[in-house]
Amino acid sequence: MSQIRGKNTRPEILLRKSLWKLGLRYRLSSKLPGKPDLVFRRFRAVLFVDGCFWHGCPTHLSWPKRNAQFWKRKILGNKNRDLAVSRELKRDGWTVIRVWEHQIRLDVAQCALRIRRKLLR
Ligand SMILES: [Zn+2]
């Protein structure tokens, strides 16, 4: 799991800085299912930053031509696991927030504001 969910990637660090500026506090390490990137205990919410390639972003995923079968299985497997993890967390009463890596690259401040809205809801 840790291989596919790169910890401390650049987009993730940018997002953390923006959230911090908004006064949102979080924990990084988590033993929760799927190892969420950030945990907001106060709001009983978790956040995942999904890499466009590994998690099969509909906008940016271009299937590799070499070893196509392997990658297809791998990425679809990741997507299925993401769904299962989200379901499990929600069942346990967590709010699950997922952010695509490209959304952060596009406008990190906007991302952080959207996350705050979800937390305060
Ligand atoms: Zn994307």
Side-chain angles (χ1 to χ4, degrees):
M1 197 76 196
S2 52
Q3 297 104 309
I4 64 154
R5 182 165 291 293
K7 286 281 165 195
N8 297 314
T9 59
R10 194 176 139 70
E12 188 190 324
I13 291 166
L14 287 175
L15 181 64
R16 276 172 11 205
K17 283 186 184 154
S18 281
L19 291 168
W20 191 263
K21 267 192 240 162
L22 292 177
L24 294 165
R25 299 294 177 259
Y26 46 77
R27 280 165 197 262
L28 291 180
S29 61
S30 159
K31 293 190 174 72
L32 291 166
K35 297 201 177 85
D37 294 305
L38 306 182
V39 179
F40 303 88
R41 295 220 158 258
R42 233 187 94 202
F43 300 103
R44 202 168 170 78
V46 295
L47 182 136
F48 292 92
V49 175
D50 288 340
C52 289
F53 178 74
W54 291 107
H55 297 267
C57 162
T59 319
H60 296 110
L61 177 63
S62 54
W63 297 102
K65 295 203 172 37
R66 286 170 68 90
N67 300 321
Q69 279 301 99
F70 167 82
W71 287 114
K72 195 150 202 168
R73 223 178 6 249
K74 177 99 187 147
I75 291 167
L76 291 179
N78 290 344
K79 282 176 88 75
N80 285 335
R81 190 165 35 213
D82 289 344
L83 283 174
V85 161
S86 288
R87 261 199 306 272
E88 187 179 349
L89 287 163
K90 284 179 193 164
R91 203 181 46 222
D92 292 343
W94 292 91
T95 296
V96 178
I97 304 171
R98 287 186 175 273
V99 181
W100 287 110
E101 176 194 341
H102 75 252
Q103 295 176 303
I104 299 174
R105 291 187 194 276
L106 202 66
D107 191 341
V108 65
Q110 194 55 42
C111 263
L113 287 171
R114 212 176 53 233
I115 290 163
R116 182 171 68 176
R117 267 202 305 278
K118 286 186 179 173
L119 292 174
L120 296 176
R121 191 158 60 194

